[in-house]
Amino acid sequence: MAVDGKIERILRLYPDECRPHHVEPFAAADSFSGAGLWRLETDRGPLCLRQWPAQHPSQERLEFIQAVLWHVDQEGFHRIALPLETRHHHGYVWHEGHLWELTPWLPGAASYRQTPSAAKLHNALVTLAEFHRAAATFPLPETGPVGSPGIIRRHLRLQHLLTEGLQELLAALAQGGWPELEARAGKLVSLFAAVAPKVLPALRSAADLAVTLQPCIRDVWQPHVLFVDDRVTGIVDFGSMRPENVAGDVARLLGSLAGDKSIDWERGLAAYQSVRRLTSDELVLISTFDRSTVLMGGLQWLEWIYLERREFANRQAVLSRIDEFVSRLETLSQVIG
């Protein structure tokens, strides 16, 4: 594939060994990050060029993310793609309203959904715990103990939905615009209305827990964990990284790998704790993070589509994602009665 002029201009800022012999656009089937990705074949080996969305992360946030990644690498965790430096020793390029990064292309594929196994589940959670152990020593202005920022945001969000937010969404749904989504949207809203009052007290209680904070990935789920056979070869996509309690990452990853299978939750938690023990408060937060994700995750998609009018190129992938939320919310409604 011929090198696009814009890409060529960006790559001129890197050492000559990063100049590509071949460029291929890459799109993961179940990725919704909005980033542009290209695989480059170069004298340095295969590289990944990433164009971050214009909206996020900010330059300051990307510098924080890169600092954390360099830190965990120094601490001995190497299953990440460290940003390569430009000729001017910067970890990124700012060009035409976007931030760009160049990193090594990690081996492996996000294959858990296609070929799940107990070994993959175990290794994914061990890898996450090892990342957390390496990131724990990164200096932050505030490490706690304080309330979990994510849980506090979710508590406030649920209160908003139960007062005026849901009515605003219903008004937007009534205008239609996506026929194959209408029945799914109606089911999501109905299930939410039944389950939300039962989840609210748990969120309120969890928001009062004081826990430690450290850099967390916050969007670590099955498409972002790479495997060769059953071995984890890397974690990718750190664009949502923020200070948080590790419970948020554990819930995010286990929720995507285990779903509603209790035996897989037990195996995953045991694997994680073989590296890093979880406190009783963190175990409470893991459950609360997962249940609040199941409760409000589908509605977040509806808000993006009907209120914010976001466009998604792969509509079938969006529908499949919403179907997952419907299925898990149905199960949650039965569990909490």
Side-chain angles (χ1 to χ4, degrees):
M1 177 180 176
V3 180
D4 177 87
K6 179 165 56 177
I7 292 177
E8 186 175 13
R9 289 192 294 275
I10 290 164
L11 294 176
R12 283 184 194 143
L13 299 173
Y14 288 88
D16 289 343
E17 63 180 357
C18 298
R19 300 296 295 275
H21 313 303
H22 181 72
V23 178
E24 197 68 38
F26 177 83
D30 42 10
S31 174
F32 304 102
S33 70
L37 297 173
W38 292 264
R39 180 186 169 107
L40 316 180
E41 300 297 339
T42 74
D43 289 344
R44 184 167 180 149
L47 302 179
C48 177
L49 179 66
R50 172 187 290 263
Q51 178 195 48
W52 287 101
Q55 301 84 1
H56 67 86
S58 66
Q59 184 172 334
E60 180 183 17
R61 180 62 56 185
L62 184 58
E63 288 174 353
F64 166 75
I65 293 166
Q66 292 185 346
V68 172
L69 295 183
W70 280 316
H71 178 88
V72 299
D73 181 72
Q74 289 294 313
E75 291 290 305
F77 185 89
H78 305 306
R79 279 165 286 179
I80 51 175
L82 291 177
L84 303 181
E85 289 191 346
T86 68
R87 297 179 187 273
H88 300 97
H89 305 293
H90 296 143
Y92 57 86
V93 171
W94 177 261
H95 184 69
E96 294 185 359
H98 290 270
L99 291 163
W100 297 72
E101 277 185 307
L102 188 63
T103 68
W105 187 278
L106 294 179
S111 59
Y112 188 88
R113 177 153 296 178
Q114 294 77 19
T115 55
S117 71
K120 280 183 174 177
L121 179 73
H122 174 92
N123 292 338
L125 270 296
V126 165
T127 299
L128 179 62
E130 290 171 346
F131 175 87
H132 283 159
R133 184 173 61 188
T137 53
F138 183 86
L140 291 176
E142 173 63 80
T143 59
V146 294
S148 157
I151 290 294
I152 292 170
R153 281 194 298 270
R154 289 171 186 225
H155 179 222
L156 294 173
R157 171 166 163 71
L158 184 53
Q159 287 181 313
H160 170 72
L161 284 168
L162 288 172
T163 52
E164 58 194 71
L166 188 60
Q167 293 305 313
E168 183 183 3
L169 178 58
L170 285 170
L173 290 174
Q175 298 176 21
W178 195 340
E180 61 269 44
L181 184 53
E182 289 178 7
R184 293 171 168 92
K187 195 164 191 177
L188 267 176
V189 169
S190 177
L191 286 165
F192 171 85
V195 176
K198 300 170 185 176
V199 173
L200 181 61
L203 258 178
R204 183 183 299 118
S205 177
D208 291 332
L209 295 176
V211 290
T212 59
L213 304 183
Q214 66 166 73
C216 286
I217 305 168
R218 294 180 63 253
D219 191 27
V220 55
W221 65 307
Q222 57 87 17
H224 296 164
V225 182
L226 307 181
F227 295 90
V228 170
D229 298 324
D230 290 334
R231 178 173 56 91
V232 176
T233 54
I235 300 175
V236 297
D237 202 338
F238 295 89
S240 296
M241 183 181 284
R242 300 282 194 285
E244 182 54 83
N245 182 262
V246 299
D249 280 355
V250 176
R252 181 76 169 111
L253 183 55
L254 256 180
S256 75
L257 300 180
D260 293 315
K261 298 175 183 176
S262 58
I263 185 64
D264 283 350
W265 275 89
E266 292 171 10
R267 289 170 174 163
L269 290 173
Y272 183 92
Q273 293 192 91
S274 70
V275 176
R276 183 197 179 280
R277 297 298 299 177
L278 293 160
T279 68
S280 58
D281 285 348
E282 286 171 343
L283 288 168
V284 170
L285 288 182
I286 289 170
S287 175
T288 310
F289 264 114
D290 183 60
R291 287 188 170 189
S292 57
T293 294
V294 172
L295 176 67
M296 293 185 284
L299 261 64
Q300 179 67 76
W301 278 97
L302 298 184
E303 290 178 341
W304 286 335
I305 293 165
Y306 288 96
L307 291 176
E308 298 180 19
R309 296 295 177 181
R310 294 193 194 181
E311 295 290 336
F312 297 94
N314 190 340
R315 285 197 169 198
Q316 188 53 53
V318 173
L319 294 174
S320 296
R321 187 79 180 113
I322 290 175
D323 285 342
E324 292 174 16
F325 280 115
V326 171
S327 176
R328 290 208 66 199
L329 191 48
E330 285 178 327
T331 301
L332 180 60
S333 70
Q334 296 164 7
V335 169
I336 65 176

